[in-house]
Amino acid sequence: VDQALSSFVGRRFVHLVHAVVVHRAGVPWEKADRTERAARLRALASCAELLTPTDAATHAPKVLGILGAALDDTASGAEAETLAAVAVDALDRFASLLPDEALRAHLAAIVVAASPSSKKGVPRARCRRARDLLRRLLVDRRDALESAICTIPTLPDTIDGVDTEQRPLRSELMRLAPLLDAEAPAVRVAAAEALASTLSKRHEDLTKLMEHDEEIDVPP
């Protein structure tokens, strides 16, 4: 990549994102149809690939927020399938730009965005296209990213080689509680859902824990 071009994109990236994604041609993202949204995400991925690793890390919250929102679309149909596939492709391309330190910092947001959803109507292509990305991050690169895996609210159970063994309840509650204050909104939501599911499914364990551990503090 030409150094001058890369430097320009790094300095003006926020403005470029607004121009090509958030409000392209005077039409806000919320009012754009899914075909238009897919085109905007392709443009976003192309712009992002001009960033240096340092600039990619700086702008990661913005980019991941946009891609996460696109992947939260619960509609079905051909256009939704295409949007999901384009968003996963952009997510994969952007994740490959991040240096390891930044990848660890944003691993939870990437995995939450790419993980299969139980929401009715979520495009199946999303799960299929995301599987390789999740496997690469959670299995192939596990040694490099090990310290950040605990920041992922719920690990996908559809990827061979991912350790989804149940932790002791106290340990799991202590792990999830700080994630309720994560930087990424999607991670906070996923943490709240994981906490609610844990308390619901392990009610008996919780009762025993509270009987024997006066210091246990269940987040509200």
Side-chain angles (χ1 to χ4, degrees):
V1 177
D2 181 86
Q3 186 173 356
L5 178 59
S6 180
S7 177
F8 170 79
V9 171
R11 293 194 312 271
R12 306 292 295 176
F13 190 73
V14 172
H15 302 282
L16 288 170
V17 168
H18 183 82
V20 304
V21 180
V22 179
H23 210 270
R24 187 162 90 167
V27 179
W29 170 271
E30 295 78 10
K31 293 185 178 181
D33 62 29
R34 291 183 177 85
T35 299
E36 169 63 17
R37 291 182 183 183
R40 295 185 186 194
L41 294 185
R42 291 188 185 96
L44 173 64
S46 296
C47 288
E49 287 185 323
L50 298 174
L51 294 170
T52 65
T54 299
D55 285 335
T58 298
H59 296 295
K62 181 73 171 179
V63 174
L64 295 176
I66 291 171
L67 296 177
L71 285 164
D72 201 37
D73 189 335
T74 59
S76 59
E79 290 184 354
E81 293 276 353
T82 298
L83 177 60
V86 170
V88 168
D89 179 66
L91 182 66
D92 191 356
R93 290 162 65 183
F94 185 75
S96 70
L97 300 175
L98 296 174
D100 281 357
E101 182 177 355
L103 193 54
R104 285 189 288 269
H106 299 288
L107 183 63
I110 295 170
V111 172
V112 166
S115 293
S117 173
S118 60
K119 293 178 182 178
K120 183 178 180 180
V122 171
R124 292 186 300 277
R126 179 180 320 170
C127 303
R128 186 172 63 250
R129 295 286 298 248
R131 190 173 296 119
D132 288 344
L133 171 59
L134 291 170
R135 181 180 295 109
R136 185 165 64 255
L137 294 175
L138 300 176
V139 180
D140 299 343
R141 303 206 57 203
R142 178 165 47 199
D143 290 344
L145 303 176
E146 181 73 36
S147 63
I149 289 179
C150 64
T151 66
I152 302 168
T154 302
L155 288 170
D157 58 8
T158 57
I159 307 299
D160 291 338
V162 174
D163 182 8
T164 57
E165 183 177 352
Q166 183 172 273
R167 297 179 177 85
L169 181 58
R170 191 181 200 285
S171 174
E172 182 68 353
L173 294 177
M174 296 294 287
R175 183 186 75 86
L176 288 173
L179 302 184
L180 297 173
D181 295 319
E183 177 183 15
V187 176
R188 296 197 297 269
V189 171
E193 292 174 346
L195 182 60
S197 176
T198 297
L199 294 176
S200 175
K201 293 178 180 178
R202 304 180 66 179
H203 182 73
E204 184 176 342
D205 289 344
L206 178 62
T207 300
K208 293 178 181 178
L209 181 61
M210 295 183 71
E211 287 175 351
H212 297 91
D213 190 343
E214 296 180 354
E215 295 182 359
I216 191 66
D217 181 19
V218 179

